[in-house]
Amino acid sequence: DWFYASAADRTAQVRTPITDGAATKPWVFRYKDLRAWWSNAHYDRPGGVESGAPTAWAPQSKPIWFTELGCPAIDRGTNQPNVFFDPKSSESFTPHFSRGWRDDAIQRAYLEATYLWWGEAANNPLSSVYGGRMVHVPECAAWTWDARPYPFFPALTDVWTDGANWRLGHWLTGRLGAVSLAALVRHLCRRAGLPEDRIDVTGLWGAVEGYAITALESPRASITTLARHFGFDAVETEGVIRFIMRGRASVTTLAPDDLVAAREGDVLELTRGQETELPQALKWQVARADEDYDAALVEARRITVDTTRIASESFPMAVPPEEAERRCRRALMEAWVGRESAVFRLPPSRLALDPADVVSFAHDGRAVPLRLVSVADADARGVEAVRQDREAYDLPPGAPRPSALSQAVAFGAPEAVLLDLPQLTEDQPAHRPFAAAHAVPWPGEIAVFRSPSTDSFDLLTSFGTRARIGTLVSDFYAGPTSRFDLGNALVLDLLTGTLESVTDLTLFGGANALAIESAPGVWEIVQAGEVELIAPSRYRLIRLLRGQRGTEGAMGNPTLAGARVVVLDDSLASLPIAEADLGIPWNWRIGPASRPVSDETYVAQAFTPEGIGLRPFSVAHVEQPWRKPHMPGDLTIRWTRRSRVLAADSWSGLEVPLAEELEAYEVEILNGPAVKRVLSTNTTSAVYTAAHQTADWGAPLAPGDTLDIRIYQLSALVGRGAPKTVTLTF
């Protein structure tokens, strides 16, 4: 961090450098620079009230806060902790000598070193003025923690365009929860009972995002798994167990003359393993912390070898796949390079050599690097060693793998509609109502619960298809039935989905059917032959068939704008209720099946199924009683029966099916809204006798009179069917 050296500098926003002799440095403090600055230099602490004139400097008067303390997660990031790699920026840089590889461990090591250093009292002088330390460690802020949720940031680059910068950036999000390999190994050693002074993990490097001990095992077994993955050895020397990464430089050079001859055999045994005993490929399975710890596979393979063996191994740890791939390649190269082994003896003068040390052995005119595997001390030091290639321990990581996240979806309450409609298909029981729902995003499955009270809801059914639901844009007026309505236009907005024009033949087959709610719970079924898209999600429908499936009585005049419209297709769910449930005022709750019925995403509705599909259609072709002047007397009212069954549309039958247990009708004689008399009959005609006429009106009906009547066909299950109201003229 840098501070303003004076009030003038603060006003001018000048970053004044620190000078050390003839050299000029940016504001990246060394320890001696910082102590000198704290003791002698002038700076103003932010947050105070600016004085009109500079005040005299009081050494040790104010603590120092690091407000941006961090290091990029990039190879050798500590060489320049203040640079940032961003290909989109003109100020994109990698640290000095960095190879541009991702390295989470260097970021953690930087923070640990900084906080541990200033946390020591010997490194952080105490002020004699305010009684606090020079660097106020509790207020030092690490750069940077992002409020966006990990792992969705950085994975969702379509939401946050800077997500690609996270990989090599300063972000602690998604990394701060990791533990250094050294700390993990130290912890496992402490669990085994080793005292702290017997453990040396300073030679370890790396970070672990998660490690699972899935069975009863010794700490040694757990450490062995880590050693296999990261490539390190454990060595006991001078009473201390030291953990050392492989790939170190040679500590000495040996020649044949430095070896001790055995009593029997050669002074040096060199062995080269057969290729067929080595793997052609290694396959490792690890876990990904950014994919909810799902498994990830990495692979290393050699091409030009005479073996086809494939070795697989599973590691119970979470590491980035690119790091796991690098270590997998290292392990494969280590196996192939290490097939050359050596056995020899050293004199006691070589007592300083320990297992895991690397020596350079001069053999056949070349220097062979050998890593000591074991040392047995007797009259001479018996040594077993394997060949080592340092380049195998400094490989680049694999290619980055974007995480495949299952994004959390927030569901809202659906738009739910319960419809009591006539029977639409033969495979659907006629008494069952329908449910339709729409939601964005679609939850996948919608559950329908019901209860006769306000609690104890039982699951009735579920369905998984989103319905096409919309609203009327303008008023929709009444029109003719049994022929095309060419005068009205139906204009509606659909929430989702599309509509298209159809031929008359397709239309007569039931296509483009819509239910329009002309009044609460009252639905007219309309079909449209021609459809025009006039705006986004807005359609104009003409060439209409009105009052389909016996719903001409539901026609509004007009049906007001804003009324709900539901497209009748396979997305509607038939509710599996019994006929005994008809007429009961049920309470319903409809919402995402993945949520409990008490969740706020459920919508509550009161709905009483009436069994409209069982209701007889209204009668047709009510005849005017007299076509010519006639003497008053008995009046015979005649009509034609209609049928609600779908097979009634056939033109080949002599008469439409009855569909009821018995044929029965009621004819109401009306006086305005009042009913004067009800005539019952079992045929498609009823006689209104002269005596009845005299009783109702004072005299038989004569030419010039009119009579309002209402005719019902009766059902044994639901009673009266749809009414037919007619005015008879005499």
Side-chain angles (χ1 to χ4, degrees), residues 212-253:
I213 300 176
T214 58
L216 291 174
E217 63 182 25
S218 65
R220 175 173 180 172
S222 301
I223 294 174
T224 300
T225 302
L226 292 170
R228 167 69 176 156
H229 182 84
F230 285 92
F232 65 85
D233 296 302
V235 181
E236 187 277 325
T237 176
E238 300 179 0
V240 176
I241 296 181
R242 289 188 172 90
F243 297 91
I244 305 167
M245 302 297 295
R246 296 171 189 166
R248 296 188 302 159
S250 173
V251 297
T252 188
T253 300

Short mmCIF file of all heavy atoms in Angstrom, two decimals, residues 212-253:
data_model
loop_
_atom_site.label_atom_id
_atom_site.label_comp_id
_atom_site.label_asym_id
_atom_site.label_seq_id
_atom_site.Cartn_x
_atom_site.Cartn_y
_atom_site.Cartn_z
N ALA A 212 -10.87 -36.49 2.22
CA ALA A 212 -11.81 -37.34 2.97
C ALA A 212 -11.10 -38.62 3.40
O ALA A 212 -10.52 -39.32 2.57
CB ALA A 212 -13.02 -37.67 2.11
N ILE A 213 -11.15 -38.91 4.69
CA ILE A 213 -10.67 -40.19 5.21
C ILE A 213 -11.90 -41.07 5.35
O ILE A 213 -12.70 -40.91 6.27
CB ILE A 213 -9.93 -40.00 6.54
CG1 ILE A 213 -8.72 -39.07 6.34
CG2 ILE A 213 -9.49 -41.34 7.10
CD1 ILE A 213 -7.97 -38.75 7.61
N THR A 214 -12.07 -41.97 4.41
CA THR A 214 -13.33 -42.70 4.28
C THR A 214 -13.34 -44.03 5.01
O THR A 214 -14.33 -44.74 4.95
CB THR A 214 -13.62 -42.95 2.79
OG1 THR A 214 -12.52 -43.68 2.21
CG2 THR A 214 -13.78 -41.62 2.05
N ALA A 215 -12.26 -44.39 5.67
CA ALA A 215 -12.21 -45.69 6.36
C ALA A 215 -11.35 -45.55 7.60
O ALA A 215 -10.64 -44.54 7.79
CB ALA A 215 -11.65 -46.78 5.43
N LEU A 216 -11.43 -46.57 8.46
CA LEU A 216 -10.55 -46.62 9.62
C LEU A 216 -9.14 -46.94 9.14
O LEU A 216 -8.87 -48.05 8.67
CB LEU A 216 -11.03 -47.67 10.62
CG LEU A 216 -12.34 -47.35 11.34
CD1 LEU A 216 -12.77 -48.54 12.19
CD2 LEU A 216 -12.19 -46.11 12.20
N GLU A 217 -8.26 -45.96 9.22
CA GLU A 217 -6.89 -46.16 8.75
C GLU A 217 -5.95 -45.34 9.61
O GLU A 217 -6.36 -44.38 10.28
CB GLU A 217 -6.74 -45.77 7.28
CG GLU A 217 -7.02 -44.30 7.00
CD GLU A 217 -6.89 -43.96 5.52
OE1 GLU A 217 -7.07 -44.89 4.70
OE2 GLU A 217 -6.63 -42.80 5.20
N SER A 218 -4.70 -45.71 9.59
CA SER A 218 -3.70 -45.00 10.37
C SER A 218 -3.37 -43.68 9.70
O SER A 218 -3.53 -43.53 8.48
CB SER A 218 -2.43 -45.85 10.47
OG SER A 218 -1.84 -46.03 9.19
N PRO A 219 -2.88 -42.71 10.46
CA PRO A 219 -2.42 -41.46 9.82
C PRO A 219 -1.34 -41.71 8.78
O PRO A 219 -1.24 -40.99 7.79
CB PRO A 219 -1.90 -40.64 10.99
CG PRO A 219 -2.67 -41.14 12.18
CD PRO A 219 -2.85 -42.61 11.92
N ARG A 220 -0.52 -42.75 8.98
CA ARG A 220 0.51 -43.05 8.00
C ARG A 220 -0.13 -43.42 6.65
O ARG A 220 0.35 -43.00 5.59
CB ARG A 220 1.39 -44.19 8.49
CG ARG A 220 2.42 -44.64 7.46
CD ARG A 220 3.38 -45.64 8.03
NE ARG A 220 4.36 -46.05 7.03
CZ ARG A 220 5.43 -46.81 7.28
NH1 ARG A 220 5.65 -47.22 8.52
NH2 ARG A 220 6.27 -47.13 6.33
N ALA A 221 -1.21 -44.20 6.69
CA ALA A 221 -1.88 -44.56 5.44
C ALA A 221 -2.46 -43.33 4.76
O ALA A 221 -2.41 -43.20 3.53
CB ALA A 221 -2.97 -45.59 5.71
N SER A 222 -3.00 -42.40 5.54
CA SER A 222 -3.54 -41.17 4.95
C SER A 222 -2.44 -40.34 4.32
O SER A 222 -2.61 -39.77 3.24
CB SER A 222 -4.27 -40.36 6.03
OG SER A 222 -5.33 -41.10 6.61
N ILE A 223 -1.28 -40.27 4.99
CA ILE A 223 -0.16 -39.50 4.45
C ILE A 223 0.39 -40.17 3.20
O ILE A 223 0.80 -39.51 2.25
CB ILE A 223 0.93 -39.33 5.53
CG1 ILE A 223 0.40 -38.45 6.66
CG2 ILE A 223 2.19 -38.72 4.93
CD1 ILE A 223 1.35 -38.33 7.84
N THR A 224 0.38 -41.51 3.17
CA THR A 224 0.87 -42.23 2.00
C THR A 224 0.03 -41.90 0.77
O THR A 224 0.57 -41.74 -0.35
CB THR A 224 0.85 -43.74 2.26
OG1 THR A 224 1.70 -44.04 3.38
CG2 THR A 224 1.35 -44.51 1.06
N THR A 225 -1.27 -41.78 0.93
CA THR A 225 -2.13 -41.39 -0.20
C THR A 225 -1.77 -40.00 -0.70
O THR A 225 -1.69 -39.76 -1.91
CB THR A 225 -3.61 -41.44 0.22
OG1 THR A 225 -3.93 -42.76 0.68
CG2 THR A 225 -4.51 -41.08 -0.94
N LEU A 226 -1.54 -39.08 0.22
CA LEU A 226 -1.12 -37.74 -0.17
C LEU A 226 0.23 -37.76 -0.88
O LEU A 226 0.45 -37.06 -1.86
CB LEU A 226 -1.06 -36.82 1.05
CG LEU A 226 -2.40 -36.48 1.72
CD1 LEU A 226 -2.17 -35.78 3.04
CD2 LEU A 226 -3.24 -35.59 0.80
N ALA A 227 1.16 -38.58 -0.37
CA ALA A 227 2.49 -38.66 -0.97
C ALA A 227 2.42 -39.20 -2.39
O ALA A 227 3.16 -38.75 -3.28
CB ALA A 227 3.40 -39.54 -0.11
N ARG A 228 1.53 -40.16 -2.62
CA ARG A 228 1.37 -40.71 -3.97
C ARG A 228 0.86 -39.64 -4.92
O ARG A 228 1.30 -39.55 -6.07
CB ARG A 228 0.41 -41.89 -3.90
CG ARG A 228 -0.10 -42.40 -5.24
CD ARG A 228 0.96 -43.06 -6.05
NE ARG A 228 0.43 -43.63 -7.29
CZ ARG A 228 1.15 -43.85 -8.37
NH1 ARG A 228 2.44 -43.55 -8.39
NH2 ARG A 228 0.59 -44.38 -9.45
N HIS A 229 -0.05 -38.83 -4.46
CA HIS A 229 -0.65 -37.82 -5.34
C HIS A 229 0.30 -36.64 -5.56
O HIS A 229 0.47 -36.19 -6.71
CB HIS A 229 -1.96 -37.33 -4.74
CG HIS A 229 -2.67 -36.33 -5.59
ND1 HIS A 229 -3.50 -36.68 -6.63
CD2 HIS A 229 -2.67 -34.96 -5.57
CE1 HIS A 229 -3.98 -35.59 -7.21
NE2 HIS A 229 -3.48 -34.53 -6.58
N PHE A 230 0.88 -36.13 -4.51
CA PHE A 230 1.69 -34.91 -4.63
C PHE A 230 3.16 -35.20 -4.94
O PHE A 230 3.86 -34.30 -5.40
CB PHE A 230 1.61 -34.09 -3.34
CG PHE A 230 0.31 -33.35 -3.18
CD1 PHE A 230 -0.75 -33.92 -2.50
CD2 PHE A 230 0.13 -32.10 -3.72
CE1 PHE A 230 -1.95 -33.25 -2.35
CE2 PHE A 230 -1.06 -31.41 -3.58
CZ PHE A 230 -2.11 -31.99 -2.90
N GLY A 231 3.63 -36.42 -4.66
CA GLY A 231 5.01 -36.76 -4.96
C GLY A 231 5.98 -36.25 -3.92
O GLY A 231 6.80 -35.37 -4.22
N PHE A 232 5.91 -36.77 -2.72
CA PHE A 232 6.88 -36.41 -1.68
C PHE A 232 7.24 -37.65 -0.88
O PHE A 232 6.60 -38.70 -0.97
CB PHE A 232 6.37 -35.28 -0.77
CG PHE A 232 5.17 -35.64 0.07
CD1 PHE A 232 5.30 -36.28 1.30
CD2 PHE A 232 3.89 -35.31 -0.36
CE1 PHE A 232 4.19 -36.59 2.07
CE2 PHE A 232 2.77 -35.62 0.41
CZ PHE A 232 2.92 -36.26 1.63
N ASP A 233 8.30 -37.54 -0.08
CA ASP A 233 8.80 -38.64 0.74
C ASP A 233 8.86 -38.20 2.18
O ASP A 233 8.98 -37.00 2.49
CB ASP A 233 10.20 -39.07 0.27
CG ASP A 233 10.19 -39.64 -1.13
OD1 ASP A 233 9.47 -40.61 -1.36
OD2 ASP A 233 10.91 -39.09 -1.99
N ALA A 234 8.79 -39.17 3.06
CA ALA A 234 8.96 -38.95 4.50
C ALA A 234 10.26 -39.60 4.92
O ALA A 234 10.50 -40.77 4.65
CB ALA A 234 7.78 -39.52 5.28
N VAL A 235 11.12 -38.84 5.59
CA VAL A 235 12.46 -39.31 5.96
C VAL A 235 12.70 -39.00 7.43
O VAL A 235 12.45 -37.86 7.88
CB VAL A 235 13.54 -38.62 5.09
CG1 VAL A 235 14.92 -39.15 5.48
CG2 VAL A 235 13.27 -38.85 3.62
N GLU A 236 13.17 -39.99 8.15
CA GLU A 236 13.57 -39.76 9.55
C GLU A 236 15.05 -39.45 9.58
O GLU A 236 15.88 -40.23 9.11
CB GLU A 236 13.26 -41.00 10.39
CG GLU A 236 13.47 -40.79 11.89
CD GLU A 236 14.92 -40.95 12.32
OE1 GLU A 236 15.61 -41.81 11.75
OE2 GLU A 236 15.35 -40.21 13.23
N THR A 237 15.38 -38.29 10.09
CA THR A 237 16.79 -37.89 10.18
C THR A 237 16.97 -37.00 11.40
O THR A 237 16.18 -36.08 11.65
CB THR A 237 17.23 -37.15 8.91
OG1 THR A 237 18.57 -36.70 9.07
CG2 THR A 237 16.34 -35.97 8.59
N GLU A 238 18.00 -37.33 12.18
CA GLU A 238 18.34 -36.58 13.39
C GLU A 238 17.15 -36.47 14.34
O GLU A 238 16.92 -35.44 14.95
CB GLU A 238 18.86 -35.19 13.01
CG GLU A 238 20.11 -35.22 12.16
CD GLU A 238 20.59 -33.83 11.77
OE1 GLU A 238 19.93 -32.85 12.19
OE2 GLU A 238 21.60 -33.72 11.08
N GLY A 239 16.37 -37.56 14.42
CA GLY A 239 15.24 -37.59 15.34
C GLY A 239 14.02 -36.84 14.88
O GLY A 239 13.05 -36.70 15.64
N VAL A 240 14.02 -36.33 13.65
CA VAL A 240 12.90 -35.56 13.11
C VAL A 240 12.42 -36.24 11.83
O VAL A 240 13.23 -36.72 11.03
CB VAL A 240 13.34 -34.11 12.80
CG1 VAL A 240 12.20 -33.33 12.16
CG2 VAL A 240 13.79 -33.41 14.07
N ILE A 241 11.10 -36.29 11.66
CA ILE A 241 10.53 -36.79 10.41
C ILE A 241 10.36 -35.60 9.48
O ILE A 241 9.60 -34.67 9.76
CB ILE A 241 9.19 -37.49 10.64
CG1 ILE A 241 9.39 -38.74 11.51
CG2 ILE A 241 8.57 -37.89 9.31
CD1 ILE A 241 8.13 -39.52 11.76
N ARG A 242 11.11 -35.67 8.37
CA ARG A 242 11.06 -34.59 7.39
C ARG A 242 10.29 -35.05 6.17
O ARG A 242 10.52 -36.15 5.67
CB ARG A 242 12.47 -34.15 7.00
CG ARG A 242 13.21 -33.41 8.11
CD ARG A 242 14.53 -32.84 7.60
NE ARG A 242 15.15 -31.98 8.60
CZ ARG A 242 15.99 -32.39 9.53
NH1 ARG A 242 16.35 -33.66 9.57
NH2 ARG A 242 16.49 -31.55 10.41
N PHE A 243 9.41 -34.19 5.72
CA PHE A 243 8.64 -34.46 4.51
C PHE A 243 9.20 -33.58 3.40
O PHE A 243 9.27 -32.35 3.54
CB PHE A 243 7.16 -34.18 4.74
CG PHE A 243 6.55 -35.07 5.80
CD1 PHE A 243 6.54 -34.69 7.13
CD2 PHE A 243 6.02 -36.30 5.45
CE1 PHE A 243 5.99 -35.52 8.10
CE2 PHE A 243 5.46 -37.13 6.40
CZ PHE A 243 5.45 -36.75 7.73
N ILE A 244 9.60 -34.21 2.30
CA ILE A 244 10.36 -33.52 1.27
C ILE A 244 9.74 -33.81 -0.09
O ILE A 244 9.51 -34.98 -0.44
CB ILE A 244 11.84 -33.99 1.28
CG1 ILE A 244 12.45 -33.80 2.69
CG2 ILE A 244 12.65 -33.24 0.23
CD1 ILE A 244 13.76 -34.51 2.86
N MET A 245 9.51 -32.76 -0.86
CA MET A 245 9.03 -32.93 -2.22
C MET A 245 10.12 -33.53 -3.10
O MET A 245 11.31 -33.24 -2.93
CB MET A 245 8.60 -31.58 -2.82
CG MET A 245 7.52 -30.85 -2.06
SD MET A 245 5.93 -31.71 -1.98
CE MET A 245 5.46 -31.72 -3.70
N ARG A 246 9.73 -34.38 -4.02
CA ARG A 246 10.68 -34.93 -4.96
C ARG A 246 11.01 -33.90 -6.04
O ARG A 246 10.29 -32.93 -6.22
CB ARG A 246 10.12 -36.19 -5.60
CG ARG A 246 9.89 -37.31 -4.60
CD ARG A 246 9.15 -38.46 -5.22
NE ARG A 246 8.75 -39.45 -4.22
CZ ARG A 246 7.87 -40.42 -4.42
NH1 ARG A 246 7.29 -40.53 -5.61
NH2 ARG A 246 7.57 -41.26 -3.45
N GLY A 247 12.11 -34.20 -6.78
CA GLY A 247 12.52 -33.29 -7.84
C GLY A 247 13.56 -32.29 -7.40
O GLY A 247 13.80 -31.30 -8.11
N ARG A 248 14.23 -32.53 -6.27
CA ARG A 248 15.24 -31.60 -5.80
C ARG A 248 16.53 -31.77 -6.59
O ARG A 248 16.76 -32.78 -7.26
CB ARG A 248 15.50 -31.81 -4.31
CG ARG A 248 14.29 -31.50 -3.43
CD ARG A 248 14.65 -31.54 -1.96
NE ARG A 248 15.20 -32.84 -1.59
CZ ARG A 248 15.96 -33.06 -0.52
NH1 ARG A 248 16.29 -32.03 0.25
NH2 ARG A 248 16.39 -34.27 -0.22
N ALA A 249 17.40 -30.78 -6.47
CA ALA A 249 18.68 -30.82 -7.16
C ALA A 249 19.63 -31.78 -6.45
O ALA A 249 19.45 -32.14 -5.27
CB ALA A 249 19.29 -29.42 -7.23
N SER A 250 20.64 -32.18 -7.16
CA SER A 250 21.65 -33.09 -6.61
C SER A 250 22.43 -32.39 -5.50
O SER A 250 22.79 -31.21 -5.61
CB SER A 250 22.59 -33.54 -7.72
OG SER A 250 23.66 -34.30 -7.20
N VAL A 251 22.71 -33.13 -4.43
CA VAL A 251 23.46 -32.56 -3.30
C VAL A 251 24.94 -32.90 -3.38
O VAL A 251 25.77 -32.25 -2.73
CB VAL A 251 22.87 -33.06 -1.96
CG1 VAL A 251 21.45 -32.56 -1.81
CG2 VAL A 251 22.93 -34.57 -1.85
N THR A 252 25.29 -33.91 -4.18
CA THR A 252 26.70 -34.28 -4.32
C THR A 252 26.86 -35.13 -5.56
O THR A 252 25.87 -35.59 -6.15
CB THR A 252 27.20 -35.04 -3.08
OG1 THR A 252 28.62 -35.22 -3.18
CG2 THR A 252 26.52 -36.40 -2.97
N THR A 253 28.11 -35.33 -5.95
CA THR A 253 28.43 -36.17 -7.10
C THR A 253 29.22 -37.37 -6.62
O THR A 253 30.16 -37.25 -5.81
CB THR A 253 29.24 -35.38 -8.13
OG1 THR A 253 28.48 -34.26 -8.57
CG2 THR A 253 29.58 -36.26 -9.34
#
